[in-house]
Amino acid sequence: RCDVYVCMCVCVCVRACVHACGACGACVYVFQVPLCIDSSKFAVVEAGLKCTQGKCVVNSISLKEGEEDFLQKAAIVKRYGAAVVIMAFDEVGQATTAENKVEICTRSYRLLVDKLDFNPNDIIFDTNILTIATGIEEHNKYGISFIEAVREIKASLPHCRTSGGLSNFSFSFRGMEAVREAMHSVFLYHAIKAGLDMAIVNAGNLPLYDDIPKELLEMCENLLWDRDPDGTEKLLVYAQTMKAGNKKAGPTDEWRQEDVEERLSYSLVKGIDKYVVEDTMEAHHCTEKYPRPLNVIEGPLMKGMSVVGDLFGAGKMFLPQVIKSARVMKKAVGYLIPFMEEEKQNRINQLREENPDVESEESMYAGTVVMATVKGDVHDIGKNIVAVVLGCNNYRVVDLGVMTPCDKILNTAIEMKADIIGLSGLITPSLDEMIHVAKEMERRNMKVPLLIGGATTSRTHTAVKIAPRYKSPCIHVLDASKSVVVVSSLLDDVSKEELMEDVSEEYEDIRQDYYESLQERKYVSLEVARAKSAQLNWSSFEAVVPTFCGTRVFHDYDLSTLRKFIDWKPFFDVWQLRGKYPNRGFPKIFNDKDVGAEAKKVYDEACTMLDMIIDQKLLNARGLVSFYPAQSKGDDIIIYQDLDALAAGTPLTTLYGLRQQLEKEPGSVDPYYCLSDFIAPASSGKVDYIGMFAVSAGFGVTELCDTYRSQMDDYNVIMVKALADRLAEAFAEELHLRVRRELWGYSRDEDLQTDDLLKIKYDGIRPAPGYPSQPDHTEKTTMWHVTDAFAKTGIELTESLAMTPAASVSGLYFAHPSSTYFAVGKIQKDQVADYASRKSESLETVERWLSPVLAYEPA
């Protein structure tokens, strides 16, 4: 089980750490992901903290060098608002017994909380998972010691987290992967019950606890609990009967000999849909046992899905497996629906007439959840995954789709008697819409818990901006696996009270830390930032002239040419498949001993679908690219229709920029960047150029997804959307290559491999409005006006300036070799007021669009 997904930054020197953290902060895929800075040299850790935006995790500190050193390092970690892993080490050495582990962790906790007022929610104790079965007798109790220590720490040290590196536990059996994975599964099964919050282990190849062969399970249990003095030798003998490093033979159809209930449960847990309609039909015909079709759902089908939900919640199943289980469930229910509809009017109505208190068919659900992507936003892959996972756990999910107005969400929740409302969004304007929904729920005096999720959301934003607007529960949910835990807790009176007490306390701490951090951070005035802008040598600069000025449109772009430009890492992220070093990237992820097999399976299925999409032309890609003469003026870029218009001083439009204001470290010579720094200033007398683009691979996605929905196939609905997103990004990558080599031609001799393209080893950048280099989404309206993008491509902007189809990408092209990605970060009111004046917008309007980057609280 893993509570947090992070981007690990493991560095050995300050320079490498600064470079790595800067690269993470500049990448549009990475900058929103929590960063874990891992180094044995604390100077490297501190360097990473200085250039990391948002909250990160430090791995690690301990009492190894004494209390003074420990507190000094912890104070630095706190200053930067990071969480920290505390190892169970002290001046004597590594803790091995439960008593010693608890003693060191308690001492560390008291030092942090009492002397530094360190937020206990940011303390993660790693109490050392050590190797058992080494042949040394005292090592045999290491597993017991860890579990007992975790149990005591969770009971006695409020709000802290616990973690551990699991691979150490089975190191004595290296090379015997089937045995090691069984040991890991058994260990996690008991450690999670004791309170283990997270572990360094990928769950993809972990066997289900209940699927471990009885003989092997008994041996692993005996080893963990030190019940058999000959346990190590017995397990070695057992392992020798298996091929080293291999698992047992694949599944057979022996399970088909079981009774129908067991067959249905097996199909659901294993995601096998081959026989599910046949078996559901058989169960339906067992009228003595299941007189109504609803009884089949409430009985064997819900029993099987309950197992799926439990296994996923315990980290024993992966997301693709859960989605496939949901597909099996939908096919089974799909068979039963006509029979349920047939009896609906006569049986249910008849029973209600006889007894008004009789349970309805909705009573089979654990609760009702109304979910929606908020108004103006079109992204819903994450929401769809959460809906499937909740459905697997016996919740009725009412999915209102995308771009859903506030009134529709709330009215539906009232009509459906919803137990939970879930809001999702990807673009930053969605954050304001979520605030609006919370305010409206409060105005209507609603009491329904509100869950917040989506790529642009965060626990901090929820705590600071949304939760204060709604008196009833308002909770940020990190990912699909957390949704089940939160929803189930909110629907249980006892658990709800405990959860809300914890959340309220945690959010109050977050708000306090947030406002304190605003006061602690130092900013320079806009005047100073402009004086320290990037100073490029324009005297010798001569711009490369694009091959055309104006717009070129691409209809029905060849998808087969985009295939080799696909960056597969975000695809695996959608499925929550993450390899660990050195197997993090594509295709190295296939070598990962934990997630490799599942990743390869999902990838092969994706390639099969991609073949079908390309061969049958199921999706259509369109786009455009434009080039215009341009010059900068301060923080803005003046664009001209052509050279004649430039000579006449007749601008076509202006792109407005924002400049960094967060004060640099003392002695730093880094400039305060703005995108206009990369365009020749008008005062230089030089003519420069800028490009714009908008591309989409999402035309046809709705129709294809509707086809799969009609087949009750959520797995392929998500697969289609994930592939369309990848194709859109590949389109942007391939078109940028053509721009550099051909259409603009400023790097005609460029010869880079795909991996180098994805690592941005080329000259020039393509930043997008709404992202770190220019966080204002409203600049997209200028692009759409200049290029007439909607009329020429069909790519439309919503009222919140999301692009639809959702699988769309747009941005600007800068050609200067010194242009670089950067994050504007938080900005002060002097710049916001100046920006509003330049754009001829009200301060209130600009503050609303820029709310995520304001370094102050608007009036």
Side-chain angles (χ1 to χ4, degrees):
R1 171 181 173 178
C2 180
D3 276 356
V4 184
Y5 291 106
V6 298
C7 175
M8 293 293 293
C9 185
V10 184
C11 300
V12 295
C13 69
V14 170
R15 183 177 180 183
C17 189
V18 170
H19 175 76
C21 293
C24 290
C27 177
V28 295
Y29 298 121
V30 177
F31 81 95
Q32 295 186 40
V33 179
L35 190 68
C36 181
I37 303 173
D38 188 333
S39 179
S40 59
K41 300 176 182 177
F42 196 76
V44 175
V45 170
E46 186 173 4
L49 288 170
K50 289 178 180 179
C51 58
T52 302
Q53 59 180 341
K55 191 177 192 72
C56 61
V57 179
V58 167
N59 187 29
S60 59
I61 64 174
S62 72
L63 287 165
K64 189 175 182 179
E65 302 297 333
E67 289 188 3
E68 184 178 352
D69 174 81
F70 177 75
L71 289 171
Q72 181 182 7
K73 291 174 179 176
I76 293 172
V77 172
K78 182 189 176 188
R79 185 193 313 157
Y80 291 100
V84 65
V85 176
I86 309 295
M87 301 300 296
F89 280 82
D90 65 4
E91 299 88 340
V92 177
Q94 183 181 47
T96 58
T97 67
E99 294 78 10
N100 197 204
K101 293 174 190 282
V102 173
E103 179 186 357
I104 293 174
C105 291
T106 301
R107 179 182 167 203
S108 301
Y109 183 91
R110 296 266 62 95
L111 286 169
L112 292 172
V113 175
D114 297 343
K115 292 197 174 184
L116 294 182
D117 194 26
F118 206 99
N119 185 348
N121 290 285
D122 290 340
I123 300 174
I124 305 167
F125 286 117
D126 185 334
T127 55
N128 312 325
I129 299 178
L130 302 175
T131 306
I132 66 170
T134 63
I136 301 174
E137 186 176 351
E138 54 264 35
H139 293 182
N140 294 341
K141 295 190 180 295
Y142 279 168
I144 300 173
S145 297
F146 181 90
I147 291 173
E148 289 180 350
V150 166
R151 183 179 287 110
E152 178 59 27
I153 287 168
K154 294 296 289 186
S156 61
L157 305 179
H159 309 303
C160 71
R161 306 291 195 268
T162 56
S163 179
L166 191 55
S167 63
N168 292 342
F169 181 67
S170 64
F171 193 69
S172 294
F173 294 89
R174 56 192 179 279
M176 305 173 188
E177 295 305 311
V179 171
R180 295 192 70 182
E181 289 163 4
M183 291 176 67
H184 294 168
S185 181
V186 170
F187 183 89
L188 281 179
Y189 178 78
H190 294 288
I192 290 171
K193 286 185 176 181
L196 183 66
D197 294 299
M198 59 191 86
I200 304 174
V201 61
N202 281 308
N205 287 353
L206 280 178
L208 306 182
Y209 181 86
D210 295 334
D211 284 354
I212 299 173
K214 185 176 180 181
E215 184 181 5
L216 177 58
L217 177 61
E218 183 178 358
M219 291 180 185
C220 292
E221 291 277 358
N222 287 341
L223 270 187
L224 171 60
W225 300 112
D226 192 24
R227 293 170 179 160
D228 186 350
D230 299 321
T232 302
E233 288 72 19
K234 289 179 180 178
L235 191 53
L236 284 170
V237 172
Y238 180 90
Q240 288 167 4
T241 66
M242 309 170 67
K243 269 194 173 181
N246 289 337
K247 297 193 181 345
K248 298 193 318 180
T252 67
D253 278 355
E254 292 180 4
W255 62 280
R256 298 298 302 157
Q257 307 305 315
E258 303 289 340
D259 60 36
V260 67
E261 288 82 7
E262 291 301 319
R263 297 200 306 269
L264 284 170
S265 180
Y266 188 93
S267 294
L268 289 163
V269 173
K270 300 299 182 182
I272 301 171
D273 62 358
K274 182 177 180 181
Y275 308 102
V276 69
V277 172
E278 172 188 330
D279 289 343
T280 304
M281 184 186 305
E282 180 180 336
H284 180 221
H285 289 158
C286 296
T287 53
E288 290 187 8
K289 207 169 189 179
Y290 307 112
R292 299 177 56 201
L294 182 59
N295 301 141
V296 180
I297 295 175
E298 292 176 320
L301 292 178
M302 283 304 180
K303 180 182 177 182
M305 290 310 292
S306 178
V307 174
V308 171
D310 291 343
L311 293 173
F312 182 60
K316 297 179 181 179
M317 286 185 73
F318 253 129
L319 185 60
Q321 296 167 316
V322 174
I323 303 297
K324 289 178 180 178
S325 295
R327 175 170 61 182
V328 176
M329 179 68 169
K330 281 201 169 185
K331 288 190 175 182
V333 173
Y335 166 78
L336 295 170
I337 282 177
F339 301 100
M340 294 172 66
E341 290 293 332
E342 183 180 344
E343 73 168 12
K344 186 175 182 179
Q345 293 303 316
N346 47 42
R347 179 156 180 86
I348 292 181
N349 290 340
Q350 179 182 350
L351 289 175
R352 282 178 174 169
E353 288 176 6
E354 296 172 357
N355 180 4
D357 296 326
V358 72
E359 292 185 347
S360 69
E361 61 180 310
E362 286 77 15
S363 65
M364 67 180 179
Y365 295 107
T368 298
V369 181
V370 170
M371 301 179 63
T373 299
V374 297
K375 184 177 71 171
D377 205 325
V378 298
H379 300 87
D380 66 350
I381 294 181
K383 173 176 64 69
N384 291 347
I385 291 173
V386 171
V388 171
V389 171
L390 287 174
C392 290
N393 285 269
N394 197 24
Y395 293 96
R396 179 172 63 150
V397 178
V398 181
D399 189 345
L400 299 179
V402 300
M403 296 196 294
T404 314
C406 174
D407 284 346
K408 182 177 180 180
I409 296 171
L410 303 189
N411 291 341
T412 302
I414 294 170
E415 178 187 348
M416 304 301 295
K417 299 179 180 178
D419 300 292
I420 303 283
I421 294 175
L423 303 181
S424 177
L426 182 134
I427 59 173
T428 51
S430 297
L431 299 174
D432 280 332
E433 181 63 20
M434 292 175 180
I435 295 172
H436 169 67
V437 173
K439 289 179 177 178
E440 184 63 14
M441 291 176 71
E442 182 65 25
R443 188 189 68 80
R444 294 191 183 196
N445 198 31
M446 296 179 71
K447 306 297 181 185
V448 181
L450 177 63
L451 302 187
I452 303 296
T456 194
T457 65
S458 68
R459 189 175 55 167
T460 298
H461 184 271
T462 303
V464 175
K465 301 290 186 180
I466 304 178
R469 271 73 177 182
Y470 186 49
K471 293 178 182 176
S472 294
C474 178
I475 302 175
H476 179 255
V477 181
L478 182 66
D479 58 32
S481 62
K482 300 297 172 296
S483 63
V484 176
V485 177
V486 174
V487 169
S488 62
S489 297
L490 287 171
L491 298 186
D492 178 87
D493 290 340
V494 176
S495 298
K496 178 180 179 180
E497 185 175 344
E498 294 175 353
L499 174 66
M500 290 317 303
E501 183 178 330
D502 288 344
V503 170
S504 297
E505 183 177 336
E506 179 185 14
Y507 281 13
E508 184 58 40
D509 289 342
I510 290 173
R511 284 190 285 270
Q512 182 176 342
D513 290 346
Y514 172 80
Y515 289 117
E516 286 178 357
S517 70
L518 288 183
Q519 295 173 355
E520 291 171 1
R521 291 177 187 171
K522 295 182 179 179
Y523 297 86
V524 299
S525 67
L526 180 59
E527 181 182 2
V528 170
R530 285 172 172 166
K532 295 183 178 181
S533 63
Q535 300 299 314
L536 306 186
N537 182 8
W538 298 109
S539 60
S540 58
F541 171 79
E542 292 297 333
V544 176
V545 180
T547 58
F548 65 90
C549 281
T551 300
R552 181 171 297 179
V553 181
F554 305 98
H555 297 288
D556 198 15
Y557 210 82
D558 185 1
L559 295 180
S560 63
T561 65
L562 304 181
R563 189 168 191 160
K564 70 176 183 178
F565 292 90
I566 290 178
D567 180 2
W568 286 100
K569 183 187 177 302
F571 171 82
F572 293 117
D573 288 343
V574 167
W575 297 108
Q576 297 179 14
L577 294 169
R578 297 170 175 91
K580 61 183 178 183
Y581 182 83
N583 299 312
R584 288 178 182 151
F586 172 82
K588 292 186 292 184
I589 190 174
F590 300 147
N591 300 324
D592 189 272
K593 71 181 185 67
D594 294 319
V595 305
E598 188 65 30
K600 185 64 166 66
K601 185 177 180 181
V602 174
Y603 172 74
D604 289 342
E605 291 172 349
C607 288
T608 299
M609 177 173 283
L610 200 52
D611 289 337
M612 180 183 70
I613 287 172
I614 293 172
D615 293 343
Q616 300 180 25
K617 298 185 180 299
L618 298 176
L619 299 183
N620 179 266
R622 309 172 200 164
L624 60 76
V625 60
S626 301
F627 302 113
Y628 299 97
Q631 292 178 325
S632 65
K633 183 178 180 182
D635 294 344
D636 304 328
I637 300 170
I638 314 301
I639 296 176
Y640 298 89
Q641 184 71 48
D642 49 36
L643 292 177
D644 291 340
L646 187 150
T650 309
L652 174 63
T653 191
T654 300
L655 290 172
Y656 298 94
L658 292 166
R659 188 171 294 280
Q660 294 175 318
Q661 282 189 279
L662 185 63
E663 188 176 49
K664 309 291 182 180
E665 288 297 312
S668 171
V669 295
D670 292 339
Y672 291 82
Y673 282 116
C674 176
L675 285 176
S676 62
D677 294 344
F678 308 132
I679 296 292
S683 60
S684 70
K686 302 286 186 175
V687 176
D688 207 345
Y689 293 86
I690 193 169
M692 303 179 184
F693 74 94
V695 296
S696 177
F699 296 98
V701 166
T702 300
E703 294 76 8
L704 189 52
C705 286
D706 286 345
T707 299
Y708 284 119
R709 282 196 191 92
S710 69
Q711 299 167 4
M712 300 173 211
D713 190 348
D714 284 323
Y715 179 77
N716 278 322
V717 169
I718 295 169
M719 182 69 80
V720 168
K721 293 184 177 184
L723 285 176
D725 280 353
R726 291 300 87 224
L727 286 169
E729 294 288 352
F731 194 172
E733 195 68 68
E734 192 269 353
L735 187 58
H736 196 187
L737 176 66
R738 288 187 60 187
V739 165
R740 297 191 302 274
R741 286 181 179 175
E742 167 195 344
L743 301 176
W744 193 333
Y746 63 83
S747 290
R748 293 188 181 276
D749 297 329
E750 178 187 304
D751 185 18
L752 297 174
Q753 299 300 313
T754 302
D755 285 349
D756 292 328
L757 296 178
L758 299 179
K759 293 174 182 176
I760 319 176
K761 292 188 176 181
Y762 47 76
D763 285 340
I765 56 175
R766 59 169 192 274
Y771 285 88
S773 298
Q774 170 40 298
D776 184 7
H777 280 274
T778 66
E779 289 298 287
K780 274 186 279 194
T781 60
T782 301
M783 294 169 55
W784 254 246
H785 173 72
V786 170
T787 62
D788 200 15
F790 176 51
K792 292 178 178 177
T793 66
I795 305 172
E796 189 174 5
L797 295 178
T798 70
E799 58 189 302
S800 293
L801 302 180
M803 291 173 285
T804 181
S808 302
V809 182
S810 65
L812 305 170
Y813 291 130
F814 292 79
H816 197 285
S818 294
S819 59
T820 183
Y821 291 105
F822 62 91
V824 169
K826 299 287 186 181
I827 58 177
Q828 290 280 48
K829 191 167 186 176
D830 61 340
Q831 178 164 198
V832 178
D834 183 85
Y835 187 72
S837 175
R838 290 172 6 234
K839 286 175 71 81
S840 299
E841 296 276 2
S842 69
L843 180 63
E844 181 183 7
T845 298
V846 171
E847 286 178 333
R848 180 169 60 85
W849 283 102
L850 294 180
S851 60
V853 299
L854 298 182
Y856 63 94
E857 281 296 309

